[in-house]
Amino acid sequence: MSQFDVTVIGSGPGGYVAAIRCAQLGFKTAIIEKYPTMGGTCLNVGCIPSKALLDSSEHFENAKHNFANHGIIINEPVADLSRMVARKNEVVDQTTKGITFLMDKNKITVFEGVGSFESSTQIKVTKNDGSSEIIDSKYTIIATGSKPSSLPFITLDKERIITSTEALNLKEIPKHLIVIGGGVIGLELGSVYKRLGSEVTVVEFMDKIIPTMDGSLSKELNKVLRKQGMKFNLSTGVQSVERNGDSVKVTAKDKKGEEVVFEGDYVLVAVGRKPYTEGLSLEKAGVDLDERGRVKTNDHLQTNVSNIYAIGDVVAGAMLAHKASEEGTLVAEIIAGQKPHINYNLIPGVVYTWPEVAAVGKTEEQLKAEGVAIKIGNFPMRALGRSRASGDIDGFIKIIADEKTDEVLGVHMIGARAADLIAEAVVAMEYRASAEDISRMSHAHPTYAEAMKEAALDATGKRAIHF
């Protein structure tokens, strides 16, 4: 029987990072992955492929609508979806092979198969050919991630009624894509196909899109995406989804309780994700789940079985790849006897529409509910010279600071390259910067990042220079 110090089940951004950090710390490490490629949902059917299609569709959108403004005259562009999907697959292939290289580089033993517990220290690996072997591990890290959720009355045929996985591999551009869910996944994939020529209708049960983010971001993104041609039906609850040949009908009730019907050729069900624990045989190890099917852990991500840890989408908290990676590092270092920490309040969230949306810290709504006295600074992207030069004038940066101490409590932004700009806010808040601290930092001109300085000026009570 092969013996390891640490075995990681799952090779997504949480699992492979955990394995690498364990190996770096001197542990004999194994990783178990049931698919032929490493990287989990994020690299294979999530973060990476969706961004590849978002970038391709953005290039098409610019060629069709924006190149002429820059003096670039071309014939009418044609979207070749098959080539876009092929390029997406090439990106995925390169990225997953990179993870395999890192496993070899760090001398991590890779097992291909389904990992399941035989006991708290023994794990069975069942391979695709039906054979199996049992390995012994002093510690185990569960990093099995999540899978798309649905609604109980919806039958996913994965042809016309699809999840995000199938949306990444369509053979044709939908004529009318109906998206159930106005969260990150639905809006990103909806953006891809809207740019390529689809009519896109979003049906959202809540009264706003991206409902977990600051209300000002939701309002602005709604406005921008409507301007791009996306249609929204908020406070609308789906009642049924029916397929008839190549058409799909969605029946729902609007906020007045009246029945509304949407008809299209594809329906994307994007109502969130749920933890994936199937096949783990957690009961054999004695590991407990919570009421939502997540692996129950303490503040150190340790389960009720002391030598078993869990990270990423399979535990409580935001389902974000970078959150899983941070947790993978944390657990590896805890096992090594170190004392790492994660400030969950400072894990940023991003929506990769265009313009991008990003946030870190608490929202205005949360702080008001907590009774915290705050002051807010805003700065519109359209007031920047860099934004006017590129033509990306939609959006703003909003900084929320404590009214008494001036400490920055939240930063919320929508605009070009917000996904990259948010890192400045994370660094500032990690060091407990005040709005005045940021306002006195020199920002290169002309850049999008200047909006951070200007919003900080506004938050301090001083007037922004360029607005």
Side-chain angles (χ1 to χ4, degrees), residues 240-359:
S240 66
V241 179
E242 303 169 29
R243 176 181 175 181
N244 183 14
D246 290 343
S247 65
V248 185
K249 182 173 75 172
V250 176
T251 303
K253 286 189 177 180
D254 63 17
K255 59 184 177 182
K256 297 179 181 179
E258 297 176 356
E259 184 176 279
V260 288
V261 175
F262 309 95
E263 294 188 8
D265 52 341
Y266 287 89
V267 170
L268 168 61
V269 181
V271 293
R273 299 181 64 84
K274 58 184 177 181
Y276 189 83
T277 58
E278 295 170 23
L280 279 174
S281 299
L282 293 174
E283 67 282 355
K284 291 184 179 180
V287 174
D288 291 339
L289 299 178
D290 68 14
E291 69 284 353
R292 295 176 60 180
R294 302 171 299 194
V295 178
K296 191 182 294 186
T297 62
N298 62 18
D299 290 342
H300 290 158
L301 297 170
Q302 185 180 41
T303 70
N304 60 298
V305 181
S306 62
N307 67 310
I308 299 176
Y309 294 78
I311 62 174
D313 288 5
V314 81
V315 302
M319 290 185 171
L320 298 169
H322 45 287
K323 177 249 194 188
S325 295
E326 295 297 329
E327 291 180 335
T329 298
L330 179 132
V331 167
E333 293 176 354
I334 285 175
I335 292 172
Q338 299 180 14
K339 298 184 182 298
H341 81 283
I342 296 175
N343 185 342
Y344 284 98
N345 183 52
L346 297 186
I347 291 181
V350 179
V351 187
Y352 293 89
T353 49
W354 195 261
E356 294 172 336
V357 183

Side-chain angles (χ1 to χ4, degrees), residues 77-88:
V78 176
D80 184 346
L81 182 61
S82 63
R83 180 66 198 114
M84 290 183 183
V85 171
R87 176 187 173 275
K88 177 264 297 180

Side-chain angles (χ1 to χ4, degrees), residues 41-312:
T41 292
C42 179
L43 274 63
N44 288 276
V45 291
C47 323
I48 300 302
S50 64
K51 302 314 165 282
L53 285 183
L54 278 160
D55 281 341
S56 293
S57 65
E58 186 182 332
H59 285 309
F60 176 75
E61 173 82 3
N62 286 330
K64 192 174 180 68
H65 298 290
N66 299 327
F67 277 7
N69 291 333
H70 292 272
I72 305 170
I73 310 302
I74 61 174
N75 294 327
E76 183 71 15
V78 176
D80 184 346
L81 182 61
S82 63
R83 180 66 198 114
M84 290 183 183
V85 171
R87 176 187 173 275
K88 177 264 297 180
N89 292 337
E90 291 164 6
V91 171
V92 169
D93 183 59
Q94 293 166 4
T95 309
T96 56
K97 284 180 178 175
I99 304 304
T100 300
F101 166 77
L102 291 173
M103 297 298 105
D104 293 338
K105 177 184 176 182
N106 289 280
K107 297 180 173 55
I108 297 165
T109 302
V110 177
F111 292 92
E112 183 182 333
V114 175
S116 60
F117 287 97
E118 288 291 296
S119 70
S120 62
T121 57
Q122 292 187 333
I123 304 166
K124 181 167 75 172
V125 182
T126 304
K127 302 175 184 178
N128 291 332
D129 62 6
S131 64
S132 64
E133 64 178 301
I134 294 177
I135 63 175
D136 188 86
S137 188
K138 185 177 180 181
Y139 295 98
T140 300
I141 302 173
I142 301 168
T144 46
S146 62
K147 63 180 181 178
S149 295
S150 185
L151 297 173
F153 51 83
I154 295 179
T155 300
L156 296 167
D157 62 19
K158 300 187 177 182
E159 294 176 351
R160 296 281 169 176
I161 306 173
I162 61 176
T163 69
S164 57
T165 301
E166 295 77 44
L168 295 168
N169 289 290
L170 293 182
K171 305 297 184 186
E172 62 179 355
I173 298 170
K175 296 180 181 66
H176 183 190
L177 175 66
I178 302 169
V179 180
I180 301 176
V184 177
I185 295 171
L187 297 182
E188 289 184 356
L189 291 173
S191 291
V192 167
Y193 289 107
K194 183 69 193 74
R195 295 168 186 167
L196 298 181
S198 301
E199 179 184 352
V200 176
T201 300
V202 177
V203 183
E204 168 58 49
F205 179 75
M206 301 293 284
D207 61 356
K208 60 182 180 179
I209 60 173
I210 50 170
T212 61
M213 301 186 85
D214 193 270
S216 61
L217 296 181
S218 173
K219 183 178 179 180
E220 180 73 4
L221 185 60
N222 188 312
K223 182 180 76 175
V224 171
L225 293 181
R226 284 183 185 275
K227 188 168 64 175
Q228 294 175 8
M230 205 175 288
K231 299 177 181 177
F232 292 98
N233 293 267
L234 306 178
S235 301
T236 302
V238 173
Q239 304 295 305
S240 66
V241 179
E242 303 169 29
R243 176 181 175 181
N244 183 14
D246 290 343
S247 65
V248 185
K249 182 173 75 172
V250 176
T251 303
K253 286 189 177 180
D254 63 17
K255 59 184 177 182
K256 297 179 181 179
E258 297 176 356
E259 184 176 279
V260 288
V261 175
F262 309 95
E263 294 188 8
D265 52 341
Y266 287 89
V267 170
L268 168 61
V269 181
V271 293
R273 299 181 64 84
K274 58 184 177 181
Y276 189 83
T277 58
E278 295 170 23
L280 279 174
S281 299
L282 293 174
E283 67 282 355
K284 291 184 179 180
V287 174
D288 291 339
L289 299 178
D290 68 14
E291 69 284 353
R292 295 176 60 180
R294 302 171 299 194
V295 178
K296 191 182 294 186
T297 62
N298 62 18
D299 290 342
H300 290 158
L301 297 170
Q302 185 180 41
T303 70
N304 60 298
V305 181
S306 62
N307 67 310
I308 299 176
Y309 294 78
I311 62 174

